[in-house]
Amino acid sequence: MRLLEGGIDILQIRAKEQPKAEIVKYAEAMLPLTKAAGVPLILNDYPDLLNEVDADGCHVGQEDFGVDQARELAGRGCVVGKSTHTLTQAHTAVREGADYIGFGPLFPTGTKPTAEAIGLAALRALHEQVQLPIFCIGGVKLENLRDIMRAGAQRVCLVSDLLLAPDIAKRTAEVKSVLSFAG
């Protein structure tokens, strides 16, 4: 709720260690709030759950499903995003028909402690070469957001910096302010 109050543009349920039944419960609890706010809800990893819940789409990783397979498992038209970590993977996601890509982790991140950070060097080239919405992720925080935007990012995903903030709505609004100013 606090994220919505702060003005997020999209919300993803990422519950890697939770049973699918719990993820369905989370989605069913969130959907009335996100729909009322006009904020798309995306399920991470489980496109088949879109048969049970009215989320707007799913997001799959490199080791999960291809985009076509995710759409087939979803059983209906929906948004499908794909995680990428290199320019080659980003181009593959475009060819697969992804609606957007996640690109990262830019920096070390607690949500993926074993993932190697890729840094900011490839961002400008990525945006020049890939004509999909690109969400930069991994260690993105209010404190480094301006540097990330100067490196060419147009969209970002934040997790810990928002969810661990003393005032989630305020931090979300601060991030939105920086993004609005950069755009």
Side-chain angles (χ1 to χ4, degrees), residues 1-4 6 162-173:
M1 184 65 155
R2 300 287 179 237
L3 293 167
L4 294 170
L162 297 179
L163 297 180
L164 299 176
D167 184 334
I168 293 171
K170 180 180 177 192
R171 176 57 59 93
T172 304

Side-chain angles (χ1 to χ4, degrees), residues 60-148:
V60 293
Q62 286 294 310
E63 56 285 338
D64 298 327
F65 307 101
V67 172
D68 284 342
Q69 188 179 13
R71 288 188 202 285
E72 186 176 316
L73 289 167
R76 61 180 170 91
C78 65
V79 171
V80 177
K82 181 84 174 185
S83 292
T84 63
H85 315 292
T86 66
L87 286 171
T88 300
Q89 289 176 353
H91 288 290
T92 299
V94 170
R95 284 192 304 277
E96 288 181 1
D99 295 301
Y100 72 88
I101 62 171
F103 187 72
L106 298 182
F107 304 106
T109 175
T111 59
K112 290 195 174 190
T114 60
E116 186 174 330
I118 57 178
L120 299 175
L123 282 182
R124 204 163 300 284
L126 178 66
H127 279 85
E128 290 170 1
Q129 296 175 26
V130 174
Q131 303 306 311
L132 290 178
I134 300 164
F135 291 86
C136 297
I137 191 164
V140 178
K141 300 175 173 23
L142 181 60
E143 65 193 40
N144 62 17
L145 187 54
R146 285 182 176 82
D147 291 336
I148 295 167

